[in-house]
Amino acid sequence: MVNGALGGIGAGELTQPRIYTGNGLSQKGDKGRFILPPDLRKQVRDASEGLNKLCLARHHKWNCLIGFGTSRTLEFHAILERERQDAKDLGDSEWDYDTRSQQLFGFETVPFDESGRFLIPDYLSGLGSIGDRIYFQGGGGFIMLWSPEELAKMGDAFAQAKATCAALIASSKTGARGRK
């Protein structure tokens, strides 16, 4: 695993932001690996110059992890500048450029195989409260990786994600593959 590995992406090569859509559920396998759902796997591979690289980090507000392809890093400086301006406009004296920068750039890059199997470093599993299952939810600029138990604690704004996660869990108990 290489922290922050970009895999040769150069400035200016990203013409449009990547959008992650879809969802899925994965049970931890006997070797401790999870499976990135096929639709999301393709989106991540496309956003990582065709390489099987998934960048993982803790979400800066919610108790979950986020995943994205390596090309997202090209957006980080613009995100920082937009958030700095928003904080200034709102009079938010607690927003800190260096803190937010280390949150964005402090991701871990993990490989996944052709079947989408990947390992989450233990320290990240702990930070995201990831146990034996992950619910994947495309979130536009990134994928959210939720422990179903942590997702269930979220408010009404997460009603659709919670309902989808519950449905996938129910279908996995009846023998369905548990993916959409």
Side-chain angles (χ1 to χ4, degrees):
M1 289 178 256
V2 178
N3 285 325
L6 299 181
I9 295 176
E13 291 181 27
L14 184 67
T15 58
Q16 58 185 340
R18 298 292 179 166
I19 303 297
Y20 297 98
T21 62
N23 56 61
L25 183 72
S26 177
Q27 185 76 28
K28 186 185 282 187
D30 57 354
K31 294 182 180 178
R33 297 181 295 186
F34 292 99
I35 298 175
L36 190 59
D39 289 347
L40 292 169
R41 183 182 327 146
K42 181 183 180 331
Q43 294 167 32
V44 170
R45 185 181 298 119
D46 289 348
S48 295
E49 295 189 313
L51 301 173
N52 290 350
K53 290 185 176 186
L54 173 65
C55 302
L56 294 171
R58 184 180 188 279
H59 191 280
H60 71 287
K61 291 182 181 177
W62 303 323
N63 198 18
C64 68
L65 299 179
I66 60 170
F68 49 89
T70 58
S71 65
R72 179 169 164 78
T73 60
L74 298 174
E75 302 170 32
F76 286 172
H77 288 293
I79 290 170
L80 283 166
E81 290 307 317
R82 185 184 69 242
E83 289 183 5
R84 180 197 320 241
Q85 188 61 49
D86 288 349
K88 181 180 175 184
D89 292 348
L90 295 170
D92 182 356
S93 62
E94 296 199 18
W95 189 89
D96 181 73
Y97 187 95
D98 294 331
T99 299
R100 186 65 178 120
S101 182
Q102 65 86 22
Q103 290 170 338
L104 286 171
F105 287 98
F107 60 88
E108 181 81 30
T109 303
V110 298
F112 58 91
D113 67 16
E114 291 303 316
S115 297
R117 293 177 296 223
F118 68 99
L119 286 168
I120 297 178
D122 289 341
Y123 79 93
L124 277 175
S125 290
L127 288 173
S129 298
I130 301 296
D132 290 336
R133 288 186 296 203
I134 294 178
Y135 170 68
F136 297 89
Q137 176 69 51
F142 52 83
I143 302 161
M144 292 171 277
L145 288 75
W146 287 98
S147 157
E149 295 78 18
E150 288 299 316
L151 178 58
K153 296 176 187 176
M154 300 301 288
D156 288 343
F158 293 84
Q160 183 170 339
K162 293 192 289 187
T164 304
C165 180
L168 291 174
I169 290 170
S171 69
S172 71
K173 289 179 181 177
T174 62
R177 291 181 58 142
R179 292 189 201 115
K180 266 192 161 178

